[in-house]
Structure formats: structure tokens, C-alpha cells
Amino acid sequence: MVKSSGRREFVGAITKAVGASILMPTFGLNKEAQASQQSYTVGQIMELVLKTIPGAPFPKTVDTLKSGNASQKVTGIVSTMFATIDVIEKTIASGANFIIAHEPTFYNHADETEWLQQDDVFRYKHDLLTKHNIALWRFHDYIHSHRPDGVQAGVLAALGWTNYASADNAHVLTIPAAPLGQLITHAKSKLGIKMVRVVGDPGQSCKRILLMPGASGGRSQIAAIEKEKPDVIFCGEASEWETPEYVRDARQQGKKLSLVILGHIMSEAAGMEWVVSWLKPQLPGLNIAYIPSSNAFTYL
């Protein structure tokens, strides 16, 4: 378990560090090839990444090490949405020892673990990371603070909608008019989504899209709808008593507005794939891999 005091010390340590390079996983390489690669520590990798983020390091952030330490040598990196047991086991099998995950590891936003110390599920996961000396860094606040926002950039690229995004606000898209049902089919196919939830008419013609992956919250979504006047908002998730009810009331008033809820994980996963393409050009000869954590739900 990484205590809060340890996290503060770590942030202080990397703030003082001199710039370095990032090591990517040596997946598939033989021992001779691995030995020829330069060695980097977790802290050096994090320092290089933070140099690309405006205002970093932040005085308060959830993007701390959840396991491992800044001084350990890195044998490979895995990028993912959630550090699930499956992702951790695949990381171990690959020979990598550094996971960069977008979302929490221990079931709450701040990854507080004091309340879980006697919990068998937590202990198994914690002990698995510790036994195999896996460093795990959350990359949430920083990737969203990158310019452009790495998650938004990844999702737009996956959808093939990058050129439709406004230069002033990448969440606002203007596309050739198309039926909502067609846009939903496209999004499901490109983002690997099995099912979505919809408030609206699949036959509605849509040209202006508000794309808000993840969980920005009802107030942010509704404020954006009021400001941008979209035909449809595609979001990751929404509390059922907030944006869905707002859209339903708007439609009952005669407004041409629809809502598509993609699901939090799958609406942002392309952003962690984007991390791979973002880092590789900076690190020729080194490897980095994306391992999907997929969706936890099945649909009956």
C-alpha cells in the first residue's frame, strides 16, 4: 500500500529530478536484445511525462503511484484503462513491470485503502502487485490536462472524427448530417461497444455532436448542451436523474436533442491506446503496449 505521505515524498522527488527518457516494454525480445536497451527508473519515466503537461506536477492529484516505487528499474510498460487482475497477470506474463492506468485500482477515486485492509479482494490484488514488483501509476488528471486532451484525441481518432472537431472546443463536432441510428452503429463499431443507452429518436438527423467521454457530471453536460446547442450528446456515463431527465424534458418540449450513453470504460479506452502512439515517437527502439481492460458488464 502506498501511503499518502509516501505519495507526497514521491511527487517531491520527481519534481527535483532532471529530465530523462522512458522505457517501453521489451515484449517479444530475447534476453540479449533486452540487455542492450538503456535502463530507466519509474521516476525518470514519470518525470519525462510530466514535462509535457502544462502546470505539472500538480499540488493535488489522484495521479500517484499505487504500488512500486520511483527508484525501481523498469522492464516494460503497459497502458490500460483499469489495472484489473487480468491486466496485471498479462503484464507479469509479458515481462513488464510498470502499468499506467487511467482509472482507480482500489475501487474509489482517491485509491484510499485504509478501509480495505481486511478485505480479501483488495489484499489479493495488492499482494499480486507487491509479489511481482509491479509499479502502478494512475494517469488521469495529467492525460486530461495534456494539450490536446489525450483521451479526447484518442476517441476522436478511433471514431475517425478528428477533422470534424472544432478548433476552439474538441468536444464540439460538426459532421455531415446523418441519422442518429447510423451514428450509434458507427460509434459502437469503432469503439468496440456492444450496447448503448439512448434518449431520443434513431431517425433524427444529426449534424452537431457534443462528445463528452467519461463522467463529466450532469451539471457540466447540461451546461455544455445549453451553450453548444447540439443535436446529440455522446457521453460516457450520466446519473439517471440528471442529464437523461434533462434531455427527456427537452424532447417533450419539442427540442431536437438526443442523448447516447456509451459507457464510461469504453468511451475513454481509446485514450489509453493513444498513449502508445504518443510515446513511441519519443522513444525509438523501445516498446510500449496497450492491454484492454474491457467492459466489466455482460448484457442479459
Side-chain angles (χ1 to χ4, degrees):
M1 168 178 144
V2 182
K3 297 182 179 179
S4 58
S5 59
R7 294 171 184 168
R8 288 193 294 269
E9 292 170 2
F10 172 75
V11 171
I14 63 171
T15 302
K16 297 176 183 176
V18 179
S21 298
I22 297 179
L23 175 70
M24 295 180 181
T26 52
F27 304 143
L29 298 182
N30 58 35
K31 292 182 179 179
E32 290 75 15
Q34 291 184 28
S36 69
Q37 292 187 326
Q38 187 173 347
S39 178
Y40 301 92
T41 67
V42 168
Q44 288 172 331
I45 292 171
M46 295 175 68
E47 175 68 11
L48 183 143
V49 171
L50 294 187
K51 285 180 178 294
T52 71
I53 311 296
F58 301 158
K60 185 177 181 180
T61 178
V62 295
D63 290 1
T64 57
L65 277 176
K66 312 306 177 183
S67 65
N69 61 77
S71 62
Q72 74 186 71
K73 298 293 183 180
V74 175
T75 60
I77 298 175
V78 163
S79 171
T80 192
M81 268 294 288
F82 278 89
T84 63
I85 296 294
D86 180 62
V87 168
I88 294 169
E89 290 176 341
K90 288 177 178 177
T91 299
I92 295 166
S94 75
N97 71 342
F98 188 18
I99 298 174
I100 299 176
H102 186 60
E103 297 294 8
T105 298
F106 297 122
Y107 324 117
N108 65 98
H109 184 58
D111 279 302
E112 295 170 343
T113 60
E114 290 79 4
W115 62 291
L116 290 168
Q117 291 302 303
Q118 304 307 314
D119 184 271
D120 290 343
V121 174
F122 160 75
R123 291 180 64 85
Y124 180 91
K125 191 174 195 178
H126 172 270
D127 292 349
L128 182 65
L129 291 164
T130 302
K131 177 182 177 181
H132 293 278
N133 198 32
I134 302 296
L136 201 165
W137 181 36
R138 188 172 179 191
F139 194 42
H140 180 274
D141 298 349
Y142 289 127
I143 191 174
H144 283 304
S145 298
H146 184 272
R147 295 294 176 265
D149 179 319
V151 170
Q152 192 75 9
V155 175
L156 285 170
L159 288 168
W161 289 351
T162 301
N163 293 336
Y164 298 134
S166 167
D168 298 323
N169 184 352
H171 293 286
V172 179
L173 318 178
T174 302
I175 66 168
L180 176 60
Q182 181 178 319
L183 296 179
I184 291 172
T185 298
H186 175 82
K188 288 169 63 178
S189 173
K190 296 297 184 180
L191 300 180
I193 298 172
K194 294 181 179 179
M195 295 183 70
V196 299
R197 292 193 292 171
V198 180
V199 179
D201 175 10
Q204 176 191 335
S205 179
C206 297
K207 185 175 182 180
R208 190 169 175 85
I209 298 175
L210 184 60
L211 179 63
M212 301 181 74
S216 55
R219 289 195 177 190
S220 294
Q221 292 165 349
I222 292 168
I225 291 170
E226 174 59 25
K227 178 182 179 182
E228 304 298 343
K229 302 295 191 294
D231 299 311
V232 59
I233 171 174
F234 281 79
C235 71
E237 66 175 89
S239 297
E240 293 186 2
W241 61 89
E242 296 178 338
T243 309
E245 285 303 308
Y246 177 89
V247 173
R248 176 157 66 169
D249 281 349
R251 291 186 58 78
Q252 289 177 339
Q253 294 170 28
K255 295 182 183 294
K256 299 297 183 181
L257 173 66
S258 293
L259 167 69
V260 179
I261 300 178
L262 302 168
H264 192 137
I265 297 175
M266 302 309 293
S267 77
E268 291 194 304
M272 294 311 288
E273 291 190 77
W274 175 90
V275 169
V276 177
S277 62
W278 173 53
L279 289 177
K280 277 189 172 181
Q282 305 177 58
L283 304 158
L286 298 177
N287 299 305
I288 186 168
Y290 170 75
I291 296 180
S293 54
S294 304
N295 192 343
F297 297 101
T298 55
Y299 301 91
L300 304 178

